[in-house]
Amino acid sequence: MAIQILRDLRGLRVQVVHPPDNERVRLVEHLRRIGCMVETQWPIPESWTDSSDVMLLAVEHDVRGEIQRLLKSSDGLRPTLIAIVGYEDPSTLQLVLEAGAVAVIERPIRPFGLLTNLTIARSIWLEKRETDKRIRKLERKLSGLQRIQKAKAVLMDGQGLSEAEAYESIRRQAMAKRLSMDDMAAAIIHANELLQYRAKDV
């Protein structure tokens, strides 16, 4: 994976959100020497963009409100975030942590260490994304198991089946209707809730 990340740096889409000064010019030049495709922006955008893989964000005290607005703009997929800081005071570090930056570049910006920061930040971000995917998959699986358990209880109470018989009944119905066990369980639970609701109205 590490070798692949290094290969992928060439052609990586990088958005540099930094005031237009000589430091930004040097940063962009070095990123382009690495092989990145670079876009610059200032002031801070109102929302995340899906047109970049990495964002290098200048964390400035006087744009704290704009940074916080950006952080709240969306819960969608964000780019790998690298913070550019000039000070290591508590309020700056708090903002860096709130932003979810996975690496920090200090001012004055130097070419040395930029490639390392970019590689490590990208590696951490990709690993976190894969971990989040696995967690969501496990959460869906757990929810499915809980629904099947609830559907079994419905059949056991309503039809006097044993746990094994209830499970087999759900499995047979799912196969007959070409549904997943989870979907079949959800249908059984929904039907039972409708029956209970109608019984209350009678």
Side-chain angles (χ1 to χ4, degrees):
M1 183 177 175
I3 293 172
Q4 188 59 48
I5 290 169
L6 284 167
R7 287 175 181 159
D8 290 345
L9 289 179
R10 296 193 67 80
L12 199 67
R13 300 171 303 167
V14 179
Q15 184 180 19
V16 176
V17 182
H18 191 288
D21 56 19
N22 289 333
E23 230 173 5
R24 187 175 84 174
V25 171
R26 288 194 298 271
L27 176 59
V28 168
E29 286 174 352
H30 192 63
L31 286 166
R32 285 179 175 151
R33 279 197 294 272
I34 292 170
C36 301
M37 296 187 296
V38 187
E39 288 185 2
T40 59
Q41 183 165 356
W42 194 261
I44 290 169
E46 293 188 2
S47 61
W48 303 99
T49 174
D50 58 2
S51 64
S52 61
D53 304 307
V54 178
M55 178 187 285
L56 275 75
L57 174 65
V59 177
E60 308 267 0
H61 283 290
D62 57 347
V63 290
R64 185 183 187 91
E66 287 86 341
I67 292 173
Q68 289 174 330
R69 181 195 62 203
L70 171 65
L71 299 180
K72 294 174 184 175
S73 67
S74 170
D75 290 325
L77 188 63
R78 296 179 179 183
T80 304
L81 186 64
I82 299 175
I84 301 170
V85 300
Y87 306 96
E88 286 189 329
D89 57 274
S91 61
T92 300
L93 292 176
Q94 182 183 347
L95 195 53
V96 169
L97 290 170
E98 287 173 2
V102 288
V104 174
I105 296 172
E106 294 180 355
R107 288 198 184 93
I109 299 169
R110 300 178 185 87
F112 181 77
L114 181 60
L115 179 59
T116 302
N117 266 300
L118 199 57
T119 305
I120 291 173
R122 194 67 181 154
S123 175
I124 291 170
W125 185 87
L126 289 169
E127 285 177 13
K128 183 180 181 301
R129 187 180 67 173
E130 289 305 309
T131 300
D132 289 345
K133 281 182 184 176
R134 285 196 295 271
I135 289 170
R136 285 194 297 272
K137 187 176 179 181
L138 288 170
E139 286 173 343
R140 285 194 299 270
K141 188 174 182 180
L142 179 60
S143 295
L145 291 171
Q146 289 171 337
R147 272 189 291 274
I148 291 168
Q149 197 67 27
K150 189 174 179 180
K152 283 195 297 184
V154 167
L155 295 178
M156 289 161 70
D157 291 342
Q159 300 179 19
L161 302 177
S162 68
E163 185 173 356
E165 288 169 337
Y167 181 86
E168 185 58 26
S169 175
I170 296 168
R171 191 184 70 80
R172 281 199 312 271
Q173 290 182 71
M175 287 179 65
K177 295 179 180 178
R178 296 187 178 182
L179 295 173
S180 68
M181 288 277 288
D182 185 11
D183 287 342
M184 192 67 244
I188 290 168
I189 294 164
H190 181 64
N192 183 62
E193 288 171 350
L194 282 176
L195 285 171
Q196 289 179 341
Y197 179 76
R198 287 172 184 168
K200 287 177 185 177
D201 287 347
V202 173

